[in-house]
Amino acid sequence: MKHFELRDGTLHAEGVSLERIAAEHGTPTFVYSRAALTEAHAAYAAALSGRDSMLCYAVKSNSNLAILNVFARLGTGFDIVSGGELARVVAAGADPGRVVFSGVGKTRDEMRAALGLGIYCFNVESEPELHRLAEVAGTLGVRAPIALRVNPDVDPKTHPYISTGLKCNKFGVPIADARRLYRTAAGLPQLDIRGIACHIGSQLLDPAPVAEAATKVVALAEALNADGIELAHLDLGGGLGIRYDDEAVPATADYLAPLLAALAGRKERLLLEPGRSLVGNAGVLLSRIEYLKRGEDRNFAIIDAAMNDLARPALYDAYHRIAEVRPHGEAQTYDVVGPVCESGDFLGRERALAVQQEDLVAIFSAGAYGMTMSSNYNTRARAAEVMVDGKAAHLIRERERVDALFAGERLLP
Ligand code: LLP
């Protein structure tokens, strides 16, 4: 992972040693590299140069205000899925006029908040949502900008939990119904049709399914034009994967090339909603080994991070590389586990590590869907977050305090 490398025998984030961060901020701590964020963004910017486009960073992948602010300064828009994410984007100083709002269950309150702030577009995911949005916009006396999220029934060839563009998924409207629904939308004066949206899944390594989805979206755009409906943009969602282990991951430009080819000749602005590919390999989870426990069958490295900090291994059986911060001694094989009372609480299985008790380890590729999916299970306070920028390490989220975890709870009278 670029920007997380050994220097003088110790793992660094850019110019700062992870040992120093652990000493100053404790563990477990998520550590991000600003340079890695900036470079991931630059790869998209270069691949899209010369094309009218807007990158809408998927806030769900990592919603820390400092990260949102770094992207806002780079000029991205944002893809949100809740009123909470909208509040974060605003708190980070971003322009609501560059926000798209996805999600299958938008409430009236969320619609009102988003309309009040003047977001760029709602990605509407069902017919009843279309009617509810028209009603809410009507009561506010405004027009709601919309795209319909269509489900193109394309197999993205990724983990079943993160495929979203198949017929069996809850997302979007069937592409076959879309033309009728756009006519319905065109007949509702409270709605302002802006585009078409589509997102087929996450951790995609093959560009072909996205290009296939783009081809279907283009066919729909042509049909809508024939119906007299003009579109300002086509939104092809997020999804580009990252390297966790030894996957062959296409460069951003190579991944986008077939998609851009499918859109050749279309004049609409292109929107993309990448999350993981912008932040995933810009962060590690820094953790300390509490115990090395030698079992009959296997050895365990029991660390102070757990499934509540990084849920992906427990939830998806996902692989995250784990490395010593300062490798020394002979490597042995360990199951790297957390203190949570679940057998599923593992961060990695059968890993060779040259470590001793109380050493530090780094769990790689933890920038996306790490902190945002963390929980307080076992009344564990959530980790701190630090962003490194050159030789400076900035605390961007304090470690949660245990008393804050039950501050809202009440005893019976
Ligand atoms: N747009 C929409 C509508 C989405 O649903 C998602 C992700 C994205 C954009 C961003 O996708 P990305 O570029 O990050 O692949 N928790 C899972 C991933 C869930 C993704 C959900 N939707 C994981 O840890 O692998």
Side-chain angles (χ1 to χ4, degrees):
M1 244 168 71
K2 208 174 157 207
H3 301 296
F4 294 87
E5 275 148 10
L6 281 174
R7 287 192 190 183
D8 307 323
T10 312
L11 200 57
H12 280 59
E14 301 187 31
V16 180
S17 90
L18 294 183
E19 285 176 338
R20 187 184 122 196
I21 292 176
E24 281 176 17
H25 301 289
T27 52
T29 293
F30 286 93
V31 182
Y32 309 112
S33 152
R34 182 179 187 173
L37 296 174
T38 306
E39 283 171 26
H41 173 267
Y44 273 97
L48 295 170
S49 74
R51 208 195 187 286
D52 182 17
S53 63
M54 175 161 78
L55 271 190
C56 294
Y57 167 64
V59 173
K60 66 169 82 69
S61 58
N62 189 321
S63 56
N64 184 288
L65 296 192
I67 291 198
L68 301 181
N69 178 260
V70 164
F71 286 129
R73 290 197 223 181
L74 291 169
T76 74
F78 296 90
D79 166 45
I80 61 163
V81 290
S82 70
E85 288 188 350
L86 178 59
R88 278 185 176 276
V89 164
V90 171
D95 173 7
R98 298 175 70 77
V99 166
V100 296
F101 193 167
S102 308
V104 295
K106 299 177 197 81
T107 65
R108 285 196 175 81
D109 280 347
E110 288 175 325
M111 289 174 172
R112 268 190 285 273
L115 286 167
L117 286 163
I119 67 162
Y120 171 66
C121 195
F122 289 85
N123 288 343
V124 173
E125 304 223 14
S126 66
E127 187 166 3
E129 186 190 333
L130 209 55
H131 291 291
R132 178 185 279 186
L133 184 58
E135 171 213 310
V136 173
T139 58
L140 294 179
V142 297
R143 293 184 81 203
I146 65 138
L148 274 170
R149 174 165 174 193
V150 298
N151 186 333
D153 196 27
V154 167
D155 183 358
K157 300 183 200 135
T158 184
H159 191 290
Y161 283 17
I162 51 179
S163 298
T164 48
L166 284 168
K167 265 193 199 144
C168 56
N169 297 128
K170 68 178 176 183
F171 300 100
V173 300
I175 197 158
D177 287 354
R179 204 166 170 183
R180 174 182 68 81
L181 290 172
Y182 272 99
R183 272 193 232 117
T184 303
L188 293 167
Q190 307 90 334
L191 300 182
D192 172 19
I193 297 172
R194 292 248 161 112
I196 304 174
C198 175
H199 169 84
I200 60 169
S202 198
Q203 184 55 17
L204 309 183
L205 300 174
D206 177 358
V210 184
E212 188 188 334
T215 304
K216 292 190 175 186
V217 166
V218 165
L220 174 61
E222 283 166 358
L224 295 178
N225 290 166
D227 292 344
I229 296 173
E230 292 302 315
L231 302 166
H233 75 260
L234 303 176
D235 177 348
L236 270 301
L240 171 56
I242 60 168
R243 178 172 291 164
Y244 286 97
D245 185 7
D246 54 4
E247 305 91 333
V249 180
T252 306
D254 297 334
Y255 175 80
L256 291 180
L259 182 156
L260 293 173
L263 297 179
R266 296 300 308 184
K267 58 186 184 326
E268 295 89 353
R269 164 181 269 200
L270 169 63
L271 264 58
L272 294 172
E273 305 169 355
R276 188 190 321 260
S277 51
L278 288 174
V279 291
N281 274 338
V284 301
L285 175 56
L286 178 61
S287 176
R288 195 175 288 283
I289 299 173
E290 294 288 351
Y291 301 100
L292 292 178
K293 179 170 170 177
R294 309 205 185 263
E296 265 180 26
D297 192 43
R298 52 187 62 211
N299 297 323
F300 294 98
I302 302 170
I303 64 174
D304 65 3
M307 64 189 284
N308 74 296
D309 300 298
L310 182 66
R312 302 190 74 258
L315 201 54
Y316 312 119
D317 204 16
Y319 179 93
H320 285 256
R321 191 158 78 80
I322 302 177
E324 310 87 346
V325 167
R326 182 188 283 278
H328 59 111
E330 233 178 81
Q332 294 204 37
T333 304
Y334 298 96
D335 277 7
V336 181
V337 301
V340 163
C341 301
E342 301 256 358
S343 295
D345 180 27
F346 68 93
L347 286 310
R349 290 200 163 113
E350 296 188 20
R351 304 303 178 82
L353 289 170
V355 287
Q356 285 162 17
Q357 216 157 265
E358 303 196 34
D359 279 358
L360 293 166
V361 292
I363 304 165
F364 280 68
S365 309
Y369 306 109
M371 189 61 171
T372 49
M373 291 176 69
S374 65
S375 77
N376 295 119
Y377 189 37
N378 281 203
T379 305
R380 286 170 52 82
R382 270 174 297 180
E385 294 178 288
V386 167
M387 180 146 13
V388 171
D389 185 6
K391 286 187 171 11
H394 304 280
L395 181 66
I396 60 169
R397 178 180 167 130
E398 292 173 8
R399 183 174 310 287
E400 210 166 22
R401 287 171 37 158
V402 167
D403 56 358
L405 299 187
F406 49 81
E409 297 178 25
R410 299 284 181 271
L411 302 182
L412 292 183

